[in-house]
Amino acid sequence: MNTEDFLKLSHTELRSLLERGHPIDPSALDGSEYRGVSLGLPAPIVAITWLTFRKTFHRDPKTGALRGWNVRMQQAGLDGPREPMRDAKGKPRCFGFYEVGDGRAYDMPVAARHGLVIDYNRARENPRFDPIRLGRDPLVSLDEGRVDRLLGWTYLDLGLARVNTPSYFLLEREGPLSYVP
C-alpha cells in the first residue's frame, strides 16, 4: 500500500491494521524521525490542523528513556517539500513531547498491547494542565521486523475512562534525527 491508499481506509480497516500490526523493537527507533500523515479525521479538521507532521525518537542520555516530540511542518501536501515550521529564532516548532512505553503496561481500548505506546503524560516538557497529556498513541509496525512504516492511533486516558478518537496516523521513516530541542 502507498500513502494515498491509507488515506482511503475506513476507521474499521485502520483499527484492524492496528490490531494485526507487529511489535516494535524500541531500540530500532533511536535517533530517527518520521513523516507523519493524519488518517481518519474529517477533511475540515485536517484543513484547520495538518495533514503532515514529524515525529521523532531520541534516547535520553540522562535517563535512558526513549523520548520524542512532534514537529509542525509546512503543509505542502504529500508530495511537497518536507520543511518544518520555525519559531522566531529559526528553530523547528516542537510540541507534544512524549515518552515511549511498552504497550503491555497500558489499559488501552484496542487490542494493540503488543506494540509500543507514545505517552504524552510522561514528558516533563508538556505544561501540567495541557490537554495533550491525556493522549496515548498505541504504535505498531506494519511490516514484521521492520520500522519503516508504523501505524498509530490516539485515545484519551481520563483516569477511570478511556475515550476513543477518530485520529489515526501513518509514520514513514525519513532518516536520522536532525534536531534535538
Side-chain angles (χ1 to χ4, degrees):
M1 293 178 67
N2 63 35
T3 306
E4 291 82 10
D5 294 330
F6 283 95
L7 289 168
K8 298 172 189 170
L9 295 176
S10 70
H11 290 123
T12 302
E13 292 166 319
L14 290 166
R15 183 174 179 141
S16 177
L17 282 173
L18 185 72
E19 291 178 344
R20 291 182 321 201
H22 305 281
I24 300 168
D25 175 1
S27 66
L29 301 178
D30 289 357
S32 62
E33 58 189 34
Y34 286 76
R35 176 179 77 159
V37 178
S38 293
L39 306 171
L41 293 174
I45 300 297
V46 172
I48 61 173
T49 57
W50 52 77
L51 173 64
T52 61
F53 57 96
R54 179 173 288 154
K55 272 200 187 297
T56 64
F57 297 94
H58 173 67
R59 185 71 59 186
D60 187 318
K62 292 180 184 174
T63 67
L66 184 59
R67 304 173 46 77
W69 51 90
N70 292 287
V71 179
R72 291 196 191 276
M73 302 298 286
Q74 299 288 341
Q75 296 302 295
L78 293 177
D79 298 322
R82 298 177 185 174
E83 289 294 322
M85 295 176 82
R86 299 190 180 275
D87 65 16
K89 295 180 181 179
K91 296 178 181 175
R93 296 187 96 161
C94 301
F95 70 102
F97 292 80
Y98 49 85
E99 282 193 18
V100 179
D102 186 329
R104 295 172 294 189
Y106 290 81
D107 178 22
M108 64 180 79
V110 295
R113 293 180 60 159
H114 55 282
L116 300 175
V117 173
I118 292 171
D119 187 337
Y120 298 93
N121 190 47
R122 291 171 49 182
R124 62 187 176 270
E125 295 88 350
N126 296 325
R128 184 173 181 188
F129 296 108
D130 188 337
I132 199 164
R133 286 183 165 273
L134 302 173
R136 309 290 182 272
D137 300 340
L139 188 66
V140 298
S141 173
L142 291 169
D143 306 298
E144 189 171 9
R146 300 186 57 152
V147 294
D148 297 328
R149 291 186 321 155
L150 310 175
L151 182 65
W153 171 66
T154 301
Y155 71 92
L156 305 177
D157 185 340
L158 305 179
L160 296 175
R162 311 293 176 270
V163 177
N164 295 354
T165 76
S167 181
Y168 288 83
F169 55 90
L170 177 66
L171 296 180
E172 300 169 311
R173 192 170 194 138
E174 286 190 304
L177 187 60
S178 61
Y179 174 75
V180 176

